[in-house]
Amino acid sequence: EHDRAFEINVRRLQDLPEKLSILEDLRRLAKLTDQWHTLADLLSEFSYTGSNEVSNEVRGELSRALAVIAEVELQDQEHARNVWQQVIDAEGDEIETLDQVCRLSKHLETWDLLISTLDRSVELVDHDEKIIRLHRLAGLWNDRMENADEAIEVYQKILTLDAQDTEAEQKVEALLRETQRYQDLSEYYMARIELTLSTIDGENSA
């Protein structure tokens, strides 16, 4: 009986993909019949890479549903990540979808994609969250990619946003020492001294 109901609702969704209540019925029936793979294949037809003609709004809704089913029900994180990436490619950068790709890329240990996506997300958040994400980005460059130069660049970006960020200050110094960039280290010290002096002058004049 449930299998028959599932088949009927598959045909209903094929005819009326914009009617999202049918998708809810299919989710419920897929749980009862364990037909998640069939439902995922159906939704793929209406996703951003699918061949069925539907509006972009419907593609977006059904692609998001597909991503959740792929991850939660099929335990296929790579498929889920790829679907979220398709949403980004079609709709542009939004923090919700970028964060989904970041989260799944971390689980899959695809560090290059995590770094590039996290970097894009930095532009969409407020000042405090930007600094948090930049610290994470710098850590990924240094710890996962073993690229101290890129990590230094990100830490220096943090210091342009918050000159009093002690952690970033210490990381830049340590990484410049580790990489034996002594000329850069000397210039870094001079810049920090000048900043400190200008801050003191500003406070005195106030």
Side-chain angles (χ1 to χ4, degrees), residues 21-39:
S21 60
I22 301 173
L23 176 58
E24 293 307 311
D25 291 338
L26 279 168
R27 278 198 183 108
R28 178 177 55 82
L29 290 164
K31 189 172 184 178
L32 293 169
T33 60
D34 196 27
Q35 294 204 58
W36 292 113
H37 282 285
T38 302
L39 179 53

Side-chain angles (χ1 to χ4, degrees), residues 12-24:
R12 288 179 65 211
L13 187 67
Q14 288 171 329
D15 293 336
L16 299 167
E18 70 280 358
K19 194 168 183 180
L20 297 179
S21 60
I22 301 173
L23 176 58
E24 293 307 311

Side-chain angles (χ1 to χ4, degrees), residues 17-150:
E18 70 280 358
K19 194 168 183 180
L20 297 179
S21 60
I22 301 173
L23 176 58
E24 293 307 311
D25 291 338
L26 279 168
R27 278 198 183 108
R28 178 177 55 82
L29 290 164
K31 189 172 184 178
L32 293 169
T33 60
D34 196 27
Q35 294 204 58
W36 292 113
H37 282 285
T38 302
L39 179 53
D41 289 343
L42 174 63
L43 293 177
S44 292
E45 297 173 13
F46 296 100
S47 71
Y48 280 114
T49 57
S51 57
N52 287 12
E53 290 294 327
V54 291
S55 70
N56 283 337
E57 182 180 357
V58 172
R59 287 195 191 281
E61 291 287 348
L62 297 186
S63 291
R64 286 167 170 79
L66 173 59
V68 172
I69 288 170
E71 180 181 0
V72 176
E73 306 300 342
L74 302 182
Q75 300 292 299
D76 189 343
Q77 293 182 332
E78 185 173 5
H79 186 194
R81 196 267 317 277
N82 292 342
V83 174
W84 284 117
Q85 187 62 56
Q86 290 162 15
V87 173
I88 292 170
D89 293 342
E91 299 179 5
D93 288 355
E94 293 181 4
I95 199 66
E96 172 212 354
T97 46
L98 289 171
D99 282 352
Q100 293 287 357
V101 171
C102 284
R103 179 178 59 82
L104 289 163
S105 295
K106 180 181 178 182
H107 286 302
L108 293 164
E109 298 186 356
T110 48
W111 306 120
D112 53 346
L113 181 57
L114 173 54
I115 284 171
S116 63
T117 308
L118 181 60
D119 188 39
R120 287 159 66 178
S121 79
V122 168
E123 304 306 317
L124 303 178
V125 295
D126 63 25
H127 179 270
D128 290 347
E129 179 65 19
K130 195 184 297 284
I131 289 174
I132 291 170
R133 288 172 183 249
L134 285 170
H135 271 290
R136 185 181 172 201
L137 184 61
L140 287 165
W141 274 118
N142 191 47
D143 300 334
R144 299 298 181 180
M145 306 301 284
E146 297 183 349
N147 190 326
D149 290 340
E150 290 286 353

